Amino acid sequence: MVEDALKSVLANSPAVAALVGARIWPDRLPQTAQLPAIVYQRISTPEPAVTLASAATSPGRCRVQLSLWALTFGETRQMIDAVRAVLHGWSGAAGADVLQLVRLATWQDDYEPGPPEQFRVIADFMVTSNEGVAA
């Protein structure tokens, strides 16, 4: 799964691990989570092209959103810099998945009033992979 591959790439990055440790979760931030932390989720998946035999022939594409949570604005900026350095332009194998290209599409700042107040960067990555492609 693309999401698992991205989590693996992030978790194995010394720069990202120095900031968030193992605090990388799917879909939602646990209520008792310590910050900084990363939450990832797939937000769109267009259907690939198919042949008459109904087998996908083009690379799979999807958009995966990362929410980078921290207690300070400065920490979120450190996180987006580290995540962007690792993922933007990345390609390779991560487990059973081959990610042909990971590209940062957009990112924005966000804020949640407290207590405690929390800062967030929302980053959308476009991923081209072998997911769903007939062998």
Side-chain angles (χ1 to χ4, degrees):
M1 205 168 40
V2 166
E3 299 93 310
D4 294 337
L6 291 176
K7 178 184 178 183
S8 175
V9 172
L10 290 170
N12 288 307
S13 162
V16 174
L19 295 168
V20 301
R23 296 181 302 274
I24 305 173
W25 290 287
D27 297 323
R28 65 179 184 83
L29 187 66
Q31 283 188 329
T32 59
Q34 290 184 336
L35 299 182
I38 298 174
V39 174
Y40 61 93
Q41 65 182 352
R42 185 182 298 224
I43 59 172
S44 67
T45 309
E47 286 298 312
V50 296
T51 66
L52 292 175
S54 295
T57 59
S58 64
R61 294 188 183 171
C62 67
R63 182 182 297 244
V64 176
Q65 187 173 86
L66 301 182
S67 292
L68 313 175
W69 291 94
L71 293 174
T72 69
F73 178 78
E75 282 181 311
T76 62
R77 288 302 170 92
Q78 289 178 318
M79 292 169 68
I80 189 59
D81 289 346
V83 166
R84 181 175 32 204
V86 171
L87 289 183
H88 186 61
W90 193 87
S91 63
D97 294 297
V98 176
L99 305 184
Q100 296 167 345
L101 179 63
V102 179
R103 179 179 61 82
L104 179 60
T106 185
W107 65 275
Q108 67 183 36
D109 295 319
D110 192 26
Y111 171 78
E112 294 287 330
E117 63 182 7
Q118 298 177 347
F119 295 83
R120 176 171 62 156
V121 165
I122 303 167
D124 287 359
F125 286 86
M126 300 303 297
V127 181
T128 304
S129 72
N130 68 337
E131 184 178 77
V133 177

